[in-house]
Amino acid sequence: MTITFFGHSVIQIETNGTTLLVDPFVTGNGLAEGVVSADDLNPDVILLTHAHGDHWGDTPAIAERTGALVVANFEITSYLGRVHSYENTHPMNTGGSWTFDWGRVTQTYARHSSSFPDGTYGGNPNGYLLRLEGKCLYLAGDTCAFSEMSCLADDKGIDVAFLPIGDDFTMGSEEAVECVEVLKPRLTVPIHYNTFPYIEVDVSRFTNAMDAAGYEARVLAPGETMEV
Ligand code: NI
Ligand code: MN
């Protein structure tokens, strides 16, 4: 599968002929500026971790233009129906899984908050475990470290973990390395940093700590693609 990072938490995954787009905050995302615009993205599926504006982002515009299936918690899919009259949605909630024809999705717990830009309650925030092409991806969403992370991986383990490192709103670099110690992914990609002043960090602090602990990290520049 092909994974493209567009800065912040925007991740595109092309798998089995299906394009998944996670947390499509493109308009107003300075890291995506000059790299991609919301109109360039043509997902079949949009996955949302929570309703905060820096994740919800361009969801209504992209969904209405492409007709993409929006996978999110019940409060978010209900909001899309109620406020945007958008019905091509699949509601989930923490701990639940669903097998789509392109892969299996589990909504995981995330310790954070969730409200829409207009203040509407957005339900509980989530992460995702995605089982695609025999691989397992973990998208932590916005969260701090939590001890239940140790229960997430099945016996085959996590191939790639996407962890926030920006601090202030989520875990920072040190906590992300502690999560890696628990999750033991084969590769970790840092996300949710350097988008706003509150989450400006020196990413080398994370990569150096990962190196020192003997774990593999890969920093993706906005627009950069990797094969998994
Ligand atoms: Ni958030
Ligand atoms: Mn966020």
Side-chain angles (χ1 to χ4, degrees):
M1 78 190 90
T2 304
I3 297 179
T4 309
F5 180 57
F6 291 116
H8 202 58
S9 296
V10 189
I11 297 160
Q12 179 177 272
I13 303 162
E14 291 160 276
T15 179
N16 290 327
T18 301
T19 300
L20 315 180
L21 184 62
V22 183
D23 288 350
F25 165 58
V26 180
T27 304
N29 171 358
L31 298 174
E33 220 172 273
V35 174
V36 72
S37 75
D39 292 340
D40 299 331
L41 296 168
N42 293 294
D44 300 295
V45 180
I46 296 170
L47 291 151
L48 296 172
T49 62
H50 62 298
H52 284 157
D54 60 317
H55 299 260
W56 166 254
D58 297 289
T59 295
I62 296 173
E64 280 158 13
R65 178 173 51 78
T66 61
L69 176 70
V70 179
V71 178
N73 74 18
F74 175 75
E75 287 77 8
I76 293 175
T77 58
S78 301
Y79 182 96
L80 269 167
R82 193 173 68 246
V83 177
H84 294 276
S85 305
Y86 192 80
E87 302 294 345
N88 191 22
T89 57
H90 183 105
M92 296 186 76
N93 212 325
T94 310
S97 298
W98 186 263
T99 302
F100 296 88
D101 56 11
W102 41 265
R104 186 164 170 82
V105 175
T106 302
Q107 264 202 339
T108 59
Y109 172 75
R111 188 170 288 163
H112 190 64
S113 64
S114 177
S115 53
F116 287 88
D118 66 6
T120 303
Y121 172 62
N124 290 316
N126 292 106
Y128 286 98
L129 276 174
L130 303 179
R131 292 182 176 85
L132 308 168
E133 301 179 32
K135 302 259 168 79
C136 180
L137 309 183
Y138 174 49
L139 310 161
D142 280 10
T143 187
C144 62
F146 53 88
S147 60
E148 298 93 323
M149 266 186 193
S150 59
C151 306
L152 285 177
D154 60 20
D155 24 329
K156 282 190 263 170
I158 293 168
D159 292 284
V160 188
F162 296 84
L163 300 180
I165 65 159
D167 221 340
D168 194 80
F169 296 116
T170 67
M171 66 177 91
S173 293
E174 286 74 17
E175 293 80 17
V177 176
E178 285 168 21
C179 291
V180 169
E181 277 165 14
V182 170
L183 292 162
K184 303 212 180 322
R186 293 176 183 91
L187 177 67
T188 302
V189 175
I191 62 170
H192 209 273
Y193 66 97
N194 286 353
T195 325
F196 317 113
Y198 284 128
I199 58 171
E200 262 166 31
V201 297
D202 179 354
V203 72
S204 68
R205 256 179 71 187
F206 173 70
T207 52
N208 290 341
M210 287 285 283
D211 270 354
Y215 299 120
E216 195 156 341
R218 176 156 178 193
V219 174
L220 293 177
E224 194 174 345
T225 282
M226 73 174 183
E227 294 296 326
V228 172

